[in-house]
Amino acid sequence: MLSQVHGLRGGSRKTWSASDDPSHFWPKEWLPTEPRFRHVRIHSYGYNADWGEKKGSVLNVHDFGSALLGDVNTSPYIRDTTSACILARHDPNFKDLASRFHSIYFLATPHRGADSAQLLNRMLKASMAFNAKDYVNDLIPNSGAIQAINDDFRHIFQDLQLWSFYETVKTNLGVSQALIVEKDSAILGLPEERVQLLNADHRHVCKFNDKADSNYITLRNAFISTIDQIEKEWLTSTRDEYQETMRTLAGYLGQRDMPDNDLANLLDRQMEGTCEWFTNDTEYSAWRAGLDDVPKLLWLSGKPATGKSTLAAHVVRQLYDSNLECSYFFFKHGDKTRSSVAALLRSFAYQMASTNPQVRAGILSMHESGVIIDADDERTLWRSVFLARIFRSDFHQPYFWIIDALDECTDFGCFLPMLTKIDKKIPLRVLVTSRPSSTIHTLLLQEKLQTLTKEVNVESSYEDIRIVLEANTRFLPIDDPAACKRLITRILDKSNGCFLWASLVLKELETTHSEQQIQEVLDSVPSEMDSLYTRILDNMAMVPRNQKLAQAILRWTVCAVRPLSVEELKEAIRLDLEEVVPRLERTVESVCGHLIHVDRYSRVQLVHETVRAFLIKDGLASDFAVDRIREHSRLAEVCLQYLSSDELKSSRHRRRGSAARIAKRSVFADYATVYFSEHIVRSSSSNDSQVIALNSFFATNILTWIEIVALGGNLYFLTQTAKNLKAYMERRAKYRSPLGQQVHSVGSWVNDLIHVVTTFGKSLLLSPSSIHFLIPPVCPRNSIIYNQYREYPRCLEIVGQPELEWDDRLSCITFSERKVLAIACRDSRFAVGLSNGQVVLYHTSTCQEAGELVHGKDAVRFLEFGCTNALLASAGRRRIVLWDIGAKTQLWATILSHGILALDFNEDDTLLMATTIANYSTFWIVGDGQELEKLSVFDVEEDAPSAYQRPPTHAQICGELSLLAVGYRQRPINIWDLEDRVFIGQFHKSAPDVYPGPLLVAMAFNPNPDMNLIASSYTDGDLVTFDPWNQRQHAITEANAQVLAASSDGATLATGDGSGTIQIFDFETLRLLYRSTAYECDIRAIAFASNNVRFFDIRGDHCNVWEPSAIVRQTDDEDGSSEYCSEGVVPEVETVGSNSWDNSRLITAMVAIAGDCFFCGLENGSIAVYDARSGQQAQELYSHATKTAIMLLEWNHHENVLASTDRSSRFQVRKISRMTSGTWVAERPLLDQSTDQVIRQILLDSNGNKLLISTLLSDHIWDVEGRQRAHRRTDDRRSWRWVDCSPSTQKLLHIVDGEIKCFAWESLEECSIPVSFRITLRDCSYPPIASLMMSSQGSAICAYFREPPGNQSQARLRLWSSSSSRSLQDQSVKDLANFDTVAREVKAIIGFYKMLLLFLDQNGWVCSVNADNKSREKAYTRHFFVPYSWHCNGELIFAVSARGSVAMARKDGIAVFHRGLDFDERIVLNDHEDARAPQTEPHWRSPVLENHVDSPRLTDHWDRE
């Protein structure tokens, strides 16, 4: 940031301007256009220092400096990026501001005063018209103010770069001439001060006539020197962090390729002087300048091959040369990575984040908050990324979007309506190029988009073509200038303004050797492009030896999903033809008649999109015609051939990490790995060889392929592959029987791929190699991945409670004694409304609780998130509350006079809308809760002016579409436009006026504006969709639905009924995709997550989380070729049944014992023995009272004594013995008592003779003979835990509310030697203790502290050494190590195995910390993970056997993980950073014109005059 401060009688503009002409204000008009000033903010500061004013002034230089400092600090444009004057160094309030001050430029500044100031001061004092000014007095030589400033400055200048410029021309004072500021006064004389002269007088040291002025150049170069130094320092200090952030965003957005390659290729081909006719156009200039009366959208249309793409690239370069911010995108038909609106939005989001810190921070926060986005869903991207984040950032200067070839976008119809949603205050200007299109024109009219329309006419193209021809005709065999001119004219005449035609003809002319040959070519070449292409193909056919090679090159270039590099194409041809072409880059153009070219990035591409259209045209009679279905089949075979080869095989040695496992691959590996399924889905499904090849791949290298994809940091391609293969297999059923081992195997793998991503996605990204050894063992027993890879040598083994099939229900959250009445989901949060007035927030990805809100006493019946998850509206029957859920604070509340039927926000979160039973829709301003004018939405009879005032029974608002649907008993559905506040029409399920009829049950809008559908269900079981605008029925089916919900992309409709059945339909066709009959209970509501795959239902007292694989499917618009649609077939509907278990035998407590067994307490009050080797129950040991759950178990392995408590607070101690047969026997109770308080902890002493019973208000010591030996009452404790020290001390350690104390086992008296002390961490209150335990060898104690759910930031993990606990008389308890960083990731403490403290982290990984850490290095080890659905809800119960096997309670059994601790990955922690797993960098490239950007360049002018 550059701030300019004027001198006496100056101004923020006039000081820097040579005249009143605005173009002379060089800080605004010249500097921003300089290339090196692209990222510099420029400000001009003004203040009143006019000594010519008649009134006096008591202000001095110090006052001006203080004002500047204050304004700089409070300015919204400056305070984040710059520093201020020297005063900041002495004021601690401005410490951060002062630290950012880098350089000072003094332009003829009187550091030692000026004689002219003394003269001026005398004149002011003597004058009757003017008064004295204190600031003039300060500038007198050797004044006290100057001396003080110079003295202070000498102590603070060391880290500043100083530039001093002095005047060399005397100033005309009328009667004389003099230097206003002498050289010795203009120079500070400090070390490393840079001194330069300016050939100007005092008045003109900062006024210049033009950019060629030598003084301007001198000053500009000084600025550039500082810019270079700052950028160098930035590169050294923050470049790595910036690049890591951009890599993270690239992976999050799924952005693999940047459009910079296309831009560079186009700019390389552009000839100097071309395209200037467009950028010099007055209308374009007005659009660029953003004049008020000029539309922000500029549509440039032109015929094919007339240079539109080059024009777009030229505009981008001109904007960059002018230091203006822009993002650009070049659509390419047939290139999957560059042919959709979603790809455009991902690219724009990434480009804008690369230059704007606020945008970067906003998208990064989405990633860090776990916001799930569907990278292929343009509407989710637009809403969540652009409307909710990017457009809420500050834009202090215009921003440009340049979009080329919009007509080549497969779904451009959804993009133009998006532009209408942009706030007019945002300075965004959009340039779109396309061929002339009536569709685009109609869309612009429909959306009422004000558009400036321009056309590439023939005359404009002629001039550019002439420039290109004149530059290239020197390569032709013509010496006569006149003949050359005639040749150019003739080519121009035949070109019809087509660049491509002229280019191809010019290439053919370059092969001629005489003027006669030139004339022959011109006479024979056709003027139409198709005829020219036919001629080229005919010439190619005349060289038979090149025919196969040319066909292969065209096949791969036309049908490849993205352009191949030369090296990739070489390898593809080697696999395809078994031929090696060593110098392909030199021969590809000539072999293919110049229809193919190699760009500057060595990518092989068609010279123009019209070539593709010509080659794939039906009926093309040529050996080089491209049959896409056939050629895609061939490309799929080649890709599968590579993927099944030995090159992709890897060692099964588990000790090798992914980097070592994945050896150097072929250059073709990336393409084949990512895109093989794209070719399969585009090929014919009747081809059996393709299924065979797929099965071969799945049987050999499938796990390595998954690992390679995961190493890329994005599992999108796994899901996309599953979608493609699923669509392919469904189509194949039309031609072949779905029976057969190979078909079944491929279908099973498709299903498993989907579930691997949804179930193990996070773990797979953290450890890609886990796919070989950790993931298959935890897959369901009937899955193909388990059966095919369970024989891996010494991999993880799980016994006990295995799943047989994949469970589509990921989690079930239960709310005891409360009913769940409402649910909503948006981005990273979902909210549940309860009958007691509570709203509970959860993380969408982990289902971890994120906080609670209290709506009030009435039940919460409606919940709606705003466009982002920052706003949440909750409503009961009449009361509405608006929340800021980030701060968890109430913004405002209101009470309505009538019951609420529907609630929603409008699309930009400026309004909250509600419809009531009183036939009104009410609107509130979100910012302050102000109520606006209501809209009456009465039931209208179409043929009569009267209105029925009967109360509505149902209402549904769609804020994204601004539509309202209202239903009445025995009446049609009324549709209202909320934006224009007008009635649209009525939908009659039956014929109009045919009533009574079936009653309306539920409604749901399709939020996708391209579909224009509403779903409604009725009491007769029908589910109907209809168009709200023309009220015509679209589809109908039977569903018996009571609740309806649509996914955010509009592709899926979910229904629920009274018996607990969930059905998933394709919204447009109402084709049933999935049915679940798993849980019998009335479903109250359903809500989809933002990824459109996960959804939630509420019923009874619980909320279910679902993610069925049936929803993961390919939509029709994902396949760019219409010919494949004819092969469609209705697939078999997937129906999922229930996975039942015995609730009375749920595991409620567990403890490991010596040998291979676990003792488990059950819900029915019994205690059972489970075999660790099989995970199965071996026998029932004994029982407490029937149906009274066992709550706690404590085992003493020295004396074989087991203590147990149940829910009624009864406790027992029994001796347990084992017979030679292996059977366990429980003797009669040694102790059998109860208490009237809830028992929170039990603890046996080392000898097994005493039992500690701890409740909220008291602690008791009992001996095994049934006597109470001691007790102590306590105050109400917040949190506490007890642990036994060791047999030698007979002492207990007690941690209570952050204090550690010592007590005697015998008497419960506190030890006389004081050892207690308070642990303080960062001056914050100590969190409650959640776990306290001692290692099995008694050498270390672990304490884990954490806040309530939703706040892990203050979690603490402590380990204490054995010496401190065993010799309490000698020393205080001291820390062995703290692991506060990793504590925030701990989900549950598992226990000790030897000296390893095992814990489960938030991602489900079982990890360990070594308590015997002699080096005190802060590190932990990651071993294996527990499937998400096993640990996502409820109390987690673990135990660790003496052999290191980890047991986990699961439903009515246990799951035992064997050999899990054999796997290890060491994670080293940093004191100041969060624990981070090793991350793999996704493939990415930075923009071609953005090398190192940290902040946006903003040119602001700030004037306080």
Side-chain angles (χ1 to χ4, degrees), residues 8 678 818 994 1039 1126 1278 1308-1309 1358 1382 1480 1503:
L8 294 185
E678 299 291 345
R818 293 169 292 178
V994 179
S1126 62
R1278 177 169 173 251
L1308 270 185
E1309 293 182 355
R1358 290 287 187 268
V1382 72
T1480 302
D1503 194 345

Side-chain angles (χ1 to χ4, degrees), residues 1179 1216-1227:
Q1179 67 177 96
I1216 310 295
S1217 58
R1218 193 173 192 179
M1219 310 298 289
T1220 56
S1221 62
T1223 303
W1224 292 86
V1225 176
E1227 300 179 5

Side-chain angles (χ1 to χ4, degrees), residues 414-460:
C414 66
F415 174 68
L416 295 177
M418 291 177 178
L419 299 181
T420 64
K421 307 299 182 182
I422 301 175
D423 192 321
K424 295 180 180 179
K425 298 178 181 178
I426 297 174
L428 178 67
R429 292 156 207 173
V430 183
L431 168 64
V432 171
T433 74
S434 75
R435 302 179 190 186
S437 169
S438 59
T439 303
I440 294 178
H441 180 71
T442 302
L443 274 172
L444 293 173
L445 294 177
Q446 288 178 349
E447 299 298 330
K448 300 178 182 178
L449 269 171
Q450 293 185 341
T451 308
L452 174 61
T453 303
K454 301 290 292 182
E455 184 178 356
V456 181
N457 52 46
V458 175
E459 291 76 15
S460 302

Side-chain angles (χ1 to χ4, degrees), residues 1164-1459:
N1164 63 8
S1166 65
I1167 296 169
V1169 181
Y1170 280 78
D1171 187 344
R1173 291 166 296 185
S1174 66
Q1176 301 300 316
Q1177 180 177 329
Q1179 67 177 96
E1180 186 170 307
L1181 197 58
Y1182 67 92
S1183 179
H1184 280 226
T1186 304
K1187 296 183 180 180
T1188 304
I1190 302 298
M1191 304 306 294
L1192 300 169
L1193 293 175
E1194 175 76 4
W1195 172 251
N1196 182 294
H1197 64 277
H1198 295 296
E1199 302 297 331
N1200 289 344
V1201 172
L1202 178 66
S1204 56
T1205 69
D1206 62 27
R1207 188 174 286 137
S1208 68
S1209 295
R1210 178 186 180 188
F1211 54 93
Q1212 293 185 4
V1213 177
R1214 294 179 184 245
K1215 187 84 170 179
I1216 310 295
S1217 58
R1218 193 173 192 179
M1219 310 298 289
T1220 56
S1221 62
T1223 303
W1224 292 86
V1225 176
E1227 300 179 5
R1228 294 174 59 87
L1230 299 174
L1231 177 65
D1232 189 349
Q1233 297 290 336
S1234 63
T1235 179
D1236 58 356
Q1237 299 177 35
V1238 176
I1239 299 175
R1240 301 294 181 87
Q1241 185 183 3
I1242 59 174
L1243 187 64
L1244 285 166
D1245 73 342
S1246 303
N1247 298 322
N1249 296 325
K1250 302 180 185 67
L1251 176 69
L1252 170 70
I1253 299 293
S1254 184
T1255 70
L1256 178 65
L1257 300 177
S1258 61
D1259 301 308
H1260 307 264
I1261 299 292
W1262 292 79
D1263 62 24
V1264 295
E1265 297 176 357
R1267 294 175 298 178
Q1268 182 172 246
R1269 303 292 294 268
H1271 75 277
R1272 59 187 291 269
R1273 295 194 63 81
T1274 66
D1275 295 330
D1276 191 5
R1277 298 180 280 199
R1278 177 169 173 251
S1279 68
W1280 75 97
R1281 283 293 186 276
W1282 293 89
V1283 68
D1284 182 32
C1285 292
S1286 67
S1288 61
T1289 62
Q1290 280 293 298
K1291 297 290 191 297
L1292 284 160
L1293 276 186
H1294 183 43
I1295 295 185
V1296 54
D1297 297 333
E1299 284 188 293
I1300 299 181
K1301 299 182 178 181
C1302 181
F1303 292 85
W1305 260 111
E1306 187 68 28
S1307 61
L1308 270 185
E1309 293 182 355
E1310 189 170 353
C1311 293
S1312 57
I1313 300 177
V1315 296
S1316 65
F1317 65 94
R1318 178 168 293 278
I1319 302 173
T1320 58
L1321 297 173
R1322 302 174 188 172
D1323 299 324
C1324 64
S1325 60
Y1326 212 70
I1329 184 167
S1331 179
L1332 178 66
M1333 63 180 63
M1334 179 173 284
S1335 66
S1336 57
Q1337 299 174 351
S1339 55
I1341 297 174
C1342 160
Y1344 172 57
F1345 308 82
R1346 71 176 178 193
E1347 293 287 352
N1351 184 6
Q1352 286 289 106
S1353 62
Q1354 298 300 318
R1356 303 286 182 260
L1357 180 61
R1358 290 287 187 268
L1359 289 176
W1360 289 288
S1361 63
S1362 58
S1363 60
S1364 59
S1365 60
R1366 290 188 177 184
S1367 54
L1368 295 170
Q1369 298 88 344
D1370 302 326
Q1371 58 182 7
S1372 298
V1373 179
K1374 296 181 179 179
D1375 279 342
L1376 169 66
N1378 73 74
F1379 294 88
D1380 292 344
T1381 304
V1382 72
R1384 292 190 284 272
E1385 299 300 321
V1386 172
K1387 186 167 188 176
I1389 298 293
I1390 295 174
F1392 274 103
Y1393 170 64
K1394 297 181 179 178
M1395 290 300 289
L1396 294 180
L1397 174 67
L1398 305 181
F1399 63 89
L1400 185 77
D1401 75 4
Q1402 299 291 348
N1403 292 318
W1405 282 84
V1406 173
C1407 307
S1408 69
V1409 172
N1410 190 350
D1412 193 20
N1413 187 359
K1414 305 298 184 185
S1415 66
R1416 299 179 67 86
E1417 179 187 27
K1418 294 183 180 180
Y1420 73 97
T1421 301
R1422 198 162 51 205
H1423 298 287
F1424 64 93
F1425 63 86
V1426 177
Y1428 168 77
S1429 60
W1430 296 15
H1431 66 83
C1432 61
N1433 188 54
E1435 183 180 2
L1436 299 176
I1437 302 173
F1438 288 96
V1440 186
S1441 75
R1443 297 184 179 181
S1445 296
V1446 177
M1448 178 185 185
R1450 285 209 66 221
K1451 301 172 183 174
D1452 55 355
I1454 65 172
V1456 185
F1457 297 80
H1458 295 298
R1459 297 193 295 271

Side-chain angles (χ1 to χ4, degrees), residues 258-272:
M258 292 296 295
D260 55 323
N261 291 350
D262 298 316
L263 177 64
N265 287 327
L266 291 166
L267 293 178
D268 280 348
R269 295 204 301 267
Q270 183 188 1
M271 196 67 63
E272 185 177 357

Side-chain angles (χ1 to χ4, degrees), residues 669-722:
D670 180 69
Y671 184 86
T673 299
V674 171
Y675 296 116
F676 79 93
S677 68
E678 299 291 345
H679 296 298
I680 291 176
V681 78
R682 287 164 168 76
S683 59
S684 174
S685 302
S686 61
N687 189 349
D688 286 337
S689 63
Q690 216 152 248
V691 176
I692 296 172
L694 261 177
N695 186 63
S696 175
F697 164 51
F698 288 145
T700 53
N701 297 332
I702 178 66
L703 297 189
T704 306
W705 172 73
I706 294 174
E707 182 180 13
I708 292 173
V709 174
L711 279 169
N714 192 335
L715 301 183
Y716 163 80
F717 296 109
L718 292 184
T719 303
Q720 189 60 36
T721 297

